[in-house]
Amino acid sequence: DVKVTQSSRYLVKRTGEKVFLECVQDMDHENMFWYRQDPGLGLRLIYFSYDVKMKEKGDIPEGYSVSREKKERFSLILESASTNQTSMYLCASSFFRQGHYGYTFGSGTRLTVV
Amino acid sequence: QQQVKQSPQSLIVQKGGISIINCAYENTAFDYFPWYQQFPGKGPALLIAIRPDVSEKKEGRFTISFNKSAKQFSLHIMDSQPGDSATYFCAASEKRGATNKLIFGTGTLLAVQP
């Protein structure tokens, strides 16, 4: 069974800390994504990557950066965590086959910044 | 601004009833429209998807109706069951840079009462 694994289910960090969220996929997918999910706002795209060392900004990249040194791993970095970054973070990877885009999501990391 | 507008925010349906969730979009460049189902503590999972050259797609109890001229699409769940209780997200795919990204609606929390 294909998998997207996020390293932590729950994290509590202090304001100003540098935070790393890790995501690993075992499907050899080219594309990987980071979304944040907030009630009433749905899923909003932070960053995505279409190849190793390649990245593009999503709709809400401010305060975040990403790293993709290996195809299977995509990291989200909060340079200086703030309380408004308290959220559920979802990683996904995707493929394109037979006219359909298949996205597989991880189970999420619930981050609380205090 | 919300590129994919979803309604209602929440929905209560009796067991055996029909659940209907609606979405609307503005960007005519969208070329793929999936629906995702999310249970508590899990990431979203693909439920059913449609391309704009088709007006309807059915998979079991789940049907997508697509109206290209109105730029609207909807999910119908027939014979709704308590196990269908979840959050549902519509989405639309947009070409972005070297890949495609999904833009999500704000979600609908469905509760099916026994």
Side-chain angles (χ1 to χ4, degrees), chain B:
Chain B
Q1 86 251 28
Q2 194 69 34
Q3 294 193 55
V4 179
K5 296 183 179 180
Q6 183 173 348
S7 64
Q9 189 171 356
S10 63
L11 182 61
I12 299 174
V13 173
Q14 295 297 314
K15 179 182 175 181
I18 302 174
S19 304
I20 302 174
I21 305 170
N22 300 299
C23 285
Y25 65 96
E26 289 297 323
N27 187 349
T28 55
F30 289 148
D31 61 355
Y32 179 69
F33 300 88
W35 284 88
Y36 281 78
Q37 180 188 54
Q38 184 181 31
F39 293 106
K42 301 289 187 183
L46 179 65
L47 186 63
I48 187 172
I50 198 168
R51 301 193 76 87
D53 53 351
V54 176
S55 61
E56 184 176 283
K57 184 173 181 181
K58 184 175 182 179
E59 290 184 2
R61 296 184 293 108
F62 300 90
T63 300
I64 300 178
S65 297
F66 188 84
N67 186 330
K68 189 173 182 178
S69 60
K71 292 185 280 187
Q72 295 175 348
F73 58 111
S74 60
L75 175 69
H76 295 234
I77 306 174
M78 311 301 287
D79 187 27
S80 299
Q81 299 296 312
D84 296 331
S85 298
T87 301
Y88 292 81
F89 293 95
C90 62
S93 178
E94 175 187 41
K95 182 76 175 174
R96 179 77 173 260
T99 188
N100 284 69
K101 69 167 190 175
L102 282 182
I103 299 170
F104 285 85
T106 51
T108 296
L109 180 61
L110 172 64
V112 180
Q113 294 186 334

Side-chain angles (χ1 to χ4, degrees), chain A residues 9 31 33 35 37 40-43 45 48 50 56-59 90 94 96 99-103 105-108, chain B residues 2-3 9 31-32 36 38 41-44 46 49 51 57 89 93 96-102 104-106:
Chain A
R9 290 299 304 272
N31 306 313
F33 305 81
Y35 287 87
Q37 181 176 5
L41 297 177
L43 281 73
L45 182 63
F48 64 102
Y50 53 90
E56 286 202 28
K57 294 180 180 179
D59 299 315
L90 289 163
S94 78
F96 179 73
H100 288 275
Y101 301 99
Y103 278 65
F105 281 86
S107 294
Chain B
Q2 194 69 34
Q3 294 193 55
Q9 189 171 356
D31 61 355
Y32 179 69
Y36 281 78
Q38 184 181 31
K42 301 289 187 183
L46 179 65
R51 301 193 76 87
K57 184 173 181 181
F89 293 95
S93 178
R96 179 77 173 260
T99 188
N100 284 69
K101 69 167 190 175
L102 282 182
F104 285 85
T106 51

Side-chain angles (χ1 to χ4, degrees), chain A residues 39-55:
Chain A
L41 297 177
L43 281 73
R44 293 179 292 166
L45 182 63
I46 303 171
Y47 265 98
F48 64 102
S49 168
Y50 53 90
D51 202 350
V52 175
K53 296 190 185 294
M54 306 305 288
K55 60 186 179 184

